[in-house]
Amino acid sequence: ISSSLREAANEDTCVTISDEEPGDDLDLFCVPNHYAKDLEKVFIPHGLILDRTEKLARDVMGDMGGHHIVALRVLKAGYTFCADLLDYVKTRFFKSYCNDQSTGAIKVLGGDNLSTLAGKNILIVEDIIDFGKTMQIFLSLVQQHNPKMVEVANLLVKRTPRSIGYQPDFVGFEIPDKFVIGYALDYNEYFRDLNHVCVISETGKAKYKSEAESLG
């Protein structure tokens, strides 16, 4: 693993992956054979993800510890990171939420009334922030129900000029503006079963292009 990927993080920062980070060759890791030609590089190995997630959990507990924590997950791609994080954080998983990307509105999955968040200590868990708009909408919705505390943990934050400037409370990795898949992050519902965070190849994009994209 290259030195830039190993950059140490202190309590106030995340692990920053530089724009020049080349990633690592696929043959250095266990990658499903059916994806062998669909990936360029392994960007963040699974073991490093887990180690960083454990550290995030310790940071969360250091900041929110001593309180009962209610965890909220945004978007289904965050389920793997959320599950791994909560394995390290002793907490109760409350309910999943997702963003309706066709309207930009928040759609609640499940029957619980959000008023049950009142007075609770809330940890919002998300896989990746591209621009930050979805998270700001979700935070606004949660805050309307008067929780005691709200903090956000993200595995990945993209470094992009399209960002609105939002920064979560806990971040695993700050990454370049690349399209990454794996660790439940998908491309048209493929690659969710890939353990590592990888960069998709042009072959992979063409192979798994959706019908709508093909017609367009």
Side-chain angles (χ1 to χ4, degrees):
I1 303 170
S2 61
S3 58
S4 60
L5 194 57
R6 292 179 184 269
E7 183 176 341
N10 60 38
E11 291 182 353
D12 301 317
T13 63
C14 61
V15 176
T16 301
I17 301 177
S18 73
D19 290 342
E20 292 75 32
E21 170 58 47
D24 292 292
D25 291 339
L26 300 178
D27 58 8
L28 295 175
F29 301 92
C30 295
V31 175
N33 290 334
H34 58 281
Y35 289 146
K37 295 182 180 179
D38 304 326
L39 308 171
E40 284 187 1
K41 295 285 185 177
V42 171
F43 208 50
I44 311 177
H46 186 232
L48 183 56
I49 295 170
L50 292 181
D51 190 76
R52 181 67 183 135
T53 300
E54 182 176 5
K55 179 58 169 68
L56 287 181
R58 293 182 184 183
D59 293 343
V60 167
M61 294 303 294
D63 203 49
M64 303 181 74
H67 306 286
H68 180 75
I69 300 172
V70 174
L72 307 180
R73 173 168 58 86
V74 185
L75 298 178
K76 64 181 179 181
Y79 69 84
T80 302
F81 172 55
C82 186
D84 287 339
L85 183 68
L86 297 188
D87 277 344
Y88 296 118
V89 176
K90 304 304 181 183
T91 184
R92 176 175 64 89
F93 186 68
F94 181 76
K95 185 56 64 178
S96 298
Y97 297 85
C98 75
N99 176 249
D100 182 349
Q101 295 182 353
S102 64
T103 65
I106 295 295
K107 179 172 61 178
V108 177
L109 299 181
D112 289 345
N113 190 309
L114 289 180
S115 63
T116 59
L117 302 181
K120 301 291 198 317
N121 301 293
I122 310 300
L123 176 66
I124 300 175
V125 183
E126 174 67 298
D127 56 347
I128 187 168
I129 285 184
D130 288 294
F131 313 137
K133 184 177 180 181
T134 296
M135 184 56 70
Q136 281 203 337
I137 294 171
F138 189 70
L139 276 169
S140 177
L141 178 63
V142 171
Q143 292 284 7
Q144 290 174 24
H145 297 277
N146 301 312
K148 181 179 180 181
M149 175 192 303
V150 180
E151 300 204 342
V152 179
N154 262 80
L155 177 65
L156 306 173
V157 172
K158 279 191 181 181
R159 191 168 51 252
T160 170
R162 299 183 297 281
S163 170
I164 64 173
Y166 171 76
Q167 285 294 317
D169 300 286
F170 308 99
V171 178
F173 303 89
E174 181 187 279
I175 65 172
D177 194 5
K178 296 179 182 288
F179 191 92
V180 293
I181 42 81
Y183 196 63
L185 293 164
D186 75 298
Y187 179 68
N188 292 326
E189 297 299 325
Y190 292 93
F191 302 105
R192 292 194 191 277
D193 57 333
L194 182 63
N195 284 333
H196 315 293
V197 170
C198 297
V199 178
I200 192 172
S201 68
E202 292 303 317
T203 300
K205 289 180 182 178
K207 181 177 178 180
Y208 298 110
K209 183 183 295 185
S210 69
E211 182 177 350
E213 289 176 306
S214 299
L215 293 175

